[in-house]
Amino acid sequence: MGNNTGAESAAVTSQEPEKEMEPQPATGTVFVTVKNLEDGARDYPLTNGSSLYLPMKHKGAAWPKIPVSQVSPALRTAERKGRVQIIREQRGE
């Protein structure tokens, strides 16, 4: 019932919770799909300190896509030993 001025409404909208900003990869970033070739599930470290969980191989499995910059030496070793397959792809608009 009171008058709402522009300053009051701006104060109200600025109090909305801010959404967490996830870093978005740049356009043209190269991604890789990592497929598990072993029967059991596997977990591999990434270069950014996190881990990549690969489900056991089965028909219809959803394989994760990660930026090529996060492929760790452990993943490269697993590829060399035939435990995973790393498929390079180009993403862009």
Side-chain angles (χ1 to χ4, degrees):
M1 299 220 183
N3 292 337
N4 249 353
T5 64
E8 289 174 347
S9 63
V12 171
T13 56
S14 67
Q15 293 176 357
E16 292 178 8
E18 293 182 24
K19 295 178 184 175
E20 283 190 37
M21 297 294 290
E22 292 185 20
Q24 297 295 321
T27 302
T29 300
V30 178
F31 283 80
V32 294
T33 300
V34 184
K35 291 185 176 184
N36 186 4
L37 301 178
E38 296 285 311
D39 290 330
R42 298 284 186 259
D43 194 25
Y44 292 98
L46 298 176
T47 58
N48 67 358
S50 64
S51 294
L52 177 68
Y53 173 79
L54 298 176
M56 56 190 280
K57 71 174 184 176
H58 63 279
K59 187 175 181 178
W63 304 114
K65 293 180 183 178
I66 60 170
V68 72
S69 62
Q70 292 184 4
V71 175
S72 67
L75 267 175
R76 295 283 180 204
T77 300
E79 180 184 35
R80 196 170 51 249
K81 291 182 177 184
R83 294 183 178 149
V84 300
Q85 180 182 13
I86 300 175
I87 303 167
R88 189 180 187 103
E89 55 189 61
Q90 180 70 33
R91 263 196 157 162
E93 294 182 359

